[in-house]
Amino acid sequence: MGAMAATTTGAFPAITAQAATIEIPGIGNFDVPDQFAPQVDQFNEAVDVLQHPQGGLQIAPQAVDPAFSLPGIFAPQKQHTAADIALEAAQTKVGAQYSWGASGPYSFDCSGLVQWAYKQAGVELPRTSFEQSNVGAPVAFENLQPGDIVITNGGGHVGMYAGDGKLLNAVQTGTPVSYTNLRPDMVVTARRVAA
């Protein structure tokens, strides 16, 4: 077999390959279409000022034109607490099966879920709800924050406060990990764990 040749009957217009380069510190440089060059230049200048402030000058986030900014790049980043990380981990287990004595990763009892979730945040907790009722600092019901540990049922049950009056917990055999309503009269103690 011979080589095949492509032929054309007309001329193709030339396509210019012009691009502006956006520099994202710690990530790299990226070429974007030249039509965005003014925004890219403005972005690069803002990043340069943030990296090398003269006389303590800082760019206020509202001074950056949102037409070129990346979401969250100039916004202050929320610091995730151990409770935030633990609650997010526990939320990934909604629907997992309850199994007495289990501590994950596929099935849980109540204290096993709380222990597993906090372990994902780098915090070691004791195994039982009775032991968990003594960790951290006590919290009043009206001051509960998402991720706080909540002990109910005379001390025999534990879950994580999920906000909006909901407890994320492994309830009992036959009921998967889920959200349940939480009332003040149900709470034996609530605890806030700091990393």
Side-chain angles (χ1 to χ4, degrees):
M1 290 276 172
M4 295 181 62
T7 60
T8 59
T9 57
F12 289 103
I15 299 175
T16 60
Q18 296 178 352
T21 301
I22 187 167
E23 301 169 20
I24 302 177
I27 297 176
N29 297 335
F30 301 90
D31 292 331
V32 296
D34 201 39
Q35 69 193 49
F36 298 106
Q39 292 90 344
V40 168
D41 290 341
Q42 187 180 11
F43 179 84
N44 288 337
E45 288 172 18
V47 168
D48 187 55
V49 169
L50 286 173
Q51 286 185 313
H52 308 99
Q54 297 175 2
L57 174 68
Q58 297 287 328
I59 288 186
Q62 61 272 20
V64 178
D65 181 359
F68 75 90
S69 65
L70 298 173
I73 198 160
F74 292 109
Q77 298 296 311
K78 179 185 184 288
Q79 295 297 318
H80 287 287
T81 65
D84 295 332
I85 296 166
L87 180 59
E88 289 171 7
Q91 288 169 331
T92 69
K93 297 303 177 179
V94 169
Q97 290 304 307
Y98 177 94
S99 179
W100 187 85
S103 57
Y106 305 110
S107 60
F108 302 89
D109 68 5
C110 64
S111 57
L113 175 65
V114 172
Q115 183 188 46
W116 178 87
Y118 267 91
K119 187 173 186 177
Q120 307 316 299
V123 177
E124 295 290 331
L125 291 182
R127 179 63 183 91
T128 70
S129 59
F130 289 103
E131 293 169 317
Q132 291 173 2
S133 70
N134 295 303
V135 299
V139 181
F141 182 84
E142 59 273 6
N143 294 325
L144 282 173
Q145 294 178 4
D148 286 343
I149 297 172
V150 180
I151 309 295
T152 63
N153 195 30
H157 184 70
V158 63
M160 297 178 68
Y161 186 66
D164 298 322
K166 299 289 184 189
L167 191 66
L168 177 55
N169 54 160
V171 183
Q172 63 188 12
T173 301
T175 305
V177 173
S178 58
Y179 297 92
T180 56
N181 292 322
L182 181 67
R183 298 182 319 271
D185 63 315
M186 298 167 67
V187 177
V188 172
T189 186
R191 314 297 290 189
R192 182 160 300 144
V193 177

